Amino acid sequence: MQTTQSGILAEETKLARYLAFTIDSEADVVSALSTLAAQVDLSNTVVGLGESLVKLLGKDIPGLVTLPAQSGRGIDIPSTPTALWCWLRGTDRGELFHRSRQIELMLMPAFALGDVTDSFQYDENRDLSGYIDGTENPSGDEAIDAAIVQGQGNGLDGGSFVAVQQWLHDFDILDAMQTNERDDVIGRHIKDNEEFDEAPDSAHVKRAAQESFEPEAFMLRRSMPWAEGMEGGLVFVAFGKSFVAFDAVLKRMLGNEDTISDALFKFTRPISGAYFWCPPVKGNKLDLSALDL
Ligand code: HEM
């Protein structure tokens, strides 16, 4: 039986839209969430709840915290928590637009729609820097082990935790780099996507190597590029059975322990960041029983 929101484990999608909601009318939150749980189409939408919303309901989801703002050498990682997050997946911008409106209406007046970010697939899963993103993602049972809560009981099993950050690239900096310099930033050759041993220790794939952490820091990255006007970057989205792996990798990227910060920061910075709990599914509806809903 399907107990996980299907978009988490599904194939890549051509287009997507991210909606971030804040709480507008506390008295209406319970009924809005019940409406959302019953009506949202989970075949093409993933829903996440922030810690502030869970607290408002007087509940606690073990492992759900708020992303802490943090810093490295000249690097700020912002924390911009929000109550509710939806990841709409699709192939048609018009359909995504209308579906956004439907979800907004389901949630009114309890929730107000804040940031809306449109994203898209670039070639076969390239970041706008040109590098293929997601190569070392776990798949099959390993993806489930990395991303899905198991063994914690009804209402929690099948759920997931997601870290979401919008990154803004500086394309002038990227353009000024030679190909070998860019390859050194990522730690892979753009021409064939191969990792290379001689990459500097600051190379992103060396900093983030999932097997090099104790415990191993596997996560399921489902990031997609975004662009608006002449600005763009990556909506980094990583699902985990907890936030432990994401937190460990981000801390290593910041380089506070060994003074080696991730070379990615040369050309890109996060401009937002938040954590959410993605409830499990029961009978094609969001299972909010952990919140007594
Ligand atoms: C704009 C921001 C980022 C870009 C452009 C980016 C890009 C990439 C690319 C091109 C790869 C190599 C291919 C692959 O295995 O997917 C990669 C790997 C990886 N990234 Fe990122 N990344 C970004 C941010 C992050 C963040 C914030 C984290 C986690 C805190 C992260 C975690 C990882 C992990 C775990 C891997 C696989 C490492 C391995 O085990 O080989 N990335 N990323």
Side-chain angles (χ1 to χ4, degrees):
M1 198 176 76
Q2 171 72 49
T3 60
T4 295
Q5 296 190 50
S6 62
I8 297 173
L9 296 166
E11 291 293 298
E12 292 81 22
T13 178
K14 279 280 167 212
L15 295 175
R17 211 164 207 239
Y18 306 91
L19 311 179
F21 291 90
T22 54
I23 297 166
D24 212 20
S25 167
E26 292 185 4
D28 298 302
V29 159
V30 167
S31 73
L33 278 180
S34 304
T35 304
L36 182 76
Q39 294 183 9
V40 70
D41 183 351
L42 294 172
S43 70
N44 51 25
T45 307
V46 176
V47 176
L49 278 61
E51 190 188 22
S52 62
L53 176 55
V54 171
K55 279 187 171 161
L56 177 67
L57 298 167
K59 300 292 171 203
D60 175 45
I61 297 296
L64 177 63
V65 291
T66 294
L67 170 72
Q70 46 202 303
S71 59
R73 295 143 69 94
I75 303 159
D76 287 306
I77 303 292
S79 169
T80 55
T82 181
L84 188 74
W85 172 82
C86 297
W87 174 29
L88 281 61
R89 300 156 45 82
T91 53
D92 182 325
R93 269 192 88 168
E95 189 269 336
L96 284 172
F97 175 79
H98 287 296
R99 190 139 51 89
S100 312
R101 279 183 46 77
Q102 285 164 7
I103 293 175
E104 187 184 20
L105 291 172
M106 281 176 210
L107 290 170
M108 274 168 62
F111 295 89
L113 181 56
D115 283 343
V116 177
T117 309
D118 282 299
S119 63
F120 53 90
Q121 193 177 25
Y122 172 34
D123 192 34
E124 289 184 16
N125 284 333
R126 288 179 197 273
D127 168 62
L128 285 176
S129 61
Y131 289 84
I132 294 176
D133 192 17
T135 310
E136 291 294 335
N137 257 341
S139 61
D141 286 348
E142 288 174 351
I144 292 171
D145 281 350
I148 309 302
V149 173
Q150 297 167 77
Q152 290 195 22
N154 287 342
L156 296 174
D157 289 354
S160 185
F161 294 94
V162 65
V164 183
Q165 292 176 306
Q166 186 173 10
W167 289 67
L168 172 67
H169 293 358
D170 186 326
F171 292 96
D172 291 332
I173 293 180
L174 261 180
D175 290 348
M177 287 183 186
Q178 303 292 328
T179 303
N180 63 319
E181 290 176 277
R182 288 190 221 171
D183 287 356
D184 279 351
V185 165
I186 300 295
R188 284 182 180 265
H189 290 300
I190 196 162
K191 62 176 187 324
D192 56 11
N193 195 31
E194 287 299 319
E195 275 187 74
F196 54 105
D197 286 343
E198 324 80 75
D201 290 340
S202 60
H204 179 51
V205 299
K206 286 202 169 172
R207 295 270 83 193
Q210 296 160 106
E211 280 141 350
S212 69
F213 289 82
E214 180 52 46
E216 291 182 339
F218 281 98
M219 64 185 86
L220 187 60
R221 288 167 294 130
R222 311 303 315 276
S223 313
M224 295 178 74
W226 67 274
E228 215 181 293
M230 293 314 292
E231 293 200 318
L234 189 73
V235 182
F236 178 87
V237 173
F239 291 93
K241 60 186 172 203
S242 75
F243 295 116
V244 171
F246 171 82
D247 184 57
V249 174
L250 185 64
K251 286 211 160 60
R252 165 102 64 80
M253 287 171 68
L254 283 169
N256 288 325
E257 280 184 9
D258 57 8
T259 74
I260 305 169
S261 48
D262 196 304
L264 268 185
F265 291 112
K266 287 183 181 176
F267 79 90
T268 186
R269 294 293 163 101
I271 54 174
S272 72
Y275 281 167
F276 303 96
W277 170 63
C278 301
V281 173
K282 199 172 176 186
N284 287 328
K285 295 181 179 167
L286 278 182
D287 178 359
L288 299 180
S289 58
L291 303 175
D292 286 339
L293 293 181

